[in-house]
Amino acid sequence: QSVLRHPGVRVDAVDDVLPLLDVTFADAGAFQKLRRLPIVDYVEPVRARGDMPQWGAVGGCGWPGAWSGEPLAATAAGDRYSVRFDAMRIPAAWDVLTAGRRTSGAGVTIGSIDTGISFGQAELRGGFAAGSVPGRTVQHLFLSSLGSSDDACGHGTRMAGVIAAPDDGRGVLGVAWGANLVNVRHANGVANVSSSDARASVRAAGNAGARVVSMAWQSLNWWWQVSDEIRWWHRNRGVLFLAAAGTSGCGDLI
């Protein structure tokens, strides 16, 4: 009501979790008056007009075939994985006996907020549960503005494979090959992602039960509303977020 009393300010949406309002300003004067209200913590654009337009919204796409050019190792079953896993001691973790089986992420739900998963990637869709850990699930979510969970970029498919590709002897092997996967498609690329789309996708992953969330994308600005969303899920639900730096070769801007 305090916000609505100011002329030139229209309330478009009221968040039901965080104390956030989406508003439209008629002019700069309305913006300045709202900023001075004692109840206002910050005001920031959902997406600034002309904000680094040369990056567009599709940067970071055009990945070649999975693991192209990377040195590979193989499991006894024939699945391939990058030798970079060795530096992080991931294969050693797989061999740790936990309740009589290898550590695989079984029973944990991992979220990937990215460009989606390709409809043509059978191991991450219909064949996801065909590996050595039965009963695991994959969810394909997407923002309504995108209309589909299909990955037209390639980045999200690659990341989902690194995270949770199954142990089935037919392709690459994911770090957590026994985990459930929540795939959230929130953009067509990994550079200059809008704040409202980023915030909505974090919430979608959290509501779908993700306990660990990978976010290998960037915006060229700091967004407090995204930070607040991440902080809420971490503090209230114990969700662990892993974020990339230097996405799309512009790490010097981060």
Side-chain angles (χ1 to χ4, degrees):
Q1 294 302 315
S2 178
V3 170
L4 287 171
R5 280 197 291 269
H6 289 264
V9 181
R10 186 185 75 222
V11 175
D12 299 315
V14 179
D15 194 82
D16 59 356
V17 175
L18 298 175
L20 292 174
L21 304 176
D22 288 344
V23 302
T24 298
F25 297 112
D27 51 48
F31 168 67
Q32 293 293 344
K33 289 178 181 178
L34 193 70
R35 287 186 69 184
R36 290 193 288 267
L37 287 179
I39 63 170
V40 174
D41 185 20
Y42 59 81
V43 180
E44 64 183 9
V46 170
R47 185 165 188 167
R49 183 175 299 170
D51 181 20
M52 300 296 285
Q54 67 269 34
W55 288 104
V58 294
C61 297
W63 286 95
W67 309 108
S68 176
E70 292 205 26
L72 300 175
T75 66
D79 282 305
R80 295 167 294 159
Y81 62 89
S82 170
V83 295
R84 299 184 190 192
F85 285 13
D86 292 326
M88 293 176 280
R89 304 186 68 184
I90 290 170
W94 290 336
D95 291 333
V96 174
L97 293 179
T98 304
R101 60 184 177 182
R102 291 189 300 171
T103 301
S104 67
V108 177
T109 298
I110 300 176
S112 175
I113 299 174
D114 215 289
T115 62
I117 294 177
S118 171
F119 284 161
Q121 178 46 259
E123 284 194 291
L124 296 174
R125 286 188 173 270
F128 185 80
S132 61
V133 178
R136 68 184 193 138
T137 61
V138 58
Q139 300 178 63
H140 299 284
L141 310 178
F142 56 91
L143 301 187
S144 58
S145 59
L146 297 174
S148 166
S149 64
D150 188 30
D151 181 13
C153 171
H155 190 276
T157 303
R158 181 182 175 98
M159 287 303 302
V162 171
I163 294 168
D167 175 34
D168 60 2
R170 295 187 298 175
V172 300
L173 183 64
V175 171
W177 44 265
N180 302 315
L181 179 65
V182 174
N183 161 53
V184 183
R185 179 174 180 240
H186 78 321
N188 292 320
V190 295
N192 205 15
V193 174
S194 80
S195 59
S196 56
D197 289 348
R199 180 161 60 92
S201 61
V202 169
R203 187 167 301 183
N207 283 332
R211 295 300 306 275
V212 179
V213 177
S214 166
M215 304 184 299
W217 45 268
Q218 70 173 26
S219 171
L220 299 183
N221 295 302
W222 175 272
W223 297 113
W224 279 106
Q225 58 188 298
V226 179
S227 175
D228 285 348
E229 185 75 31
I230 290 171
R231 186 178 293 110
W232 189 92
W233 285 98
H234 176 66
R235 290 181 175 177
N236 293 280
R237 300 293 174 83
V239 178
L240 174 65
F241 291 89
L242 304 177
T247 303
S248 305
C250 46
D252 56 323
L253 297 176
I254 299 178

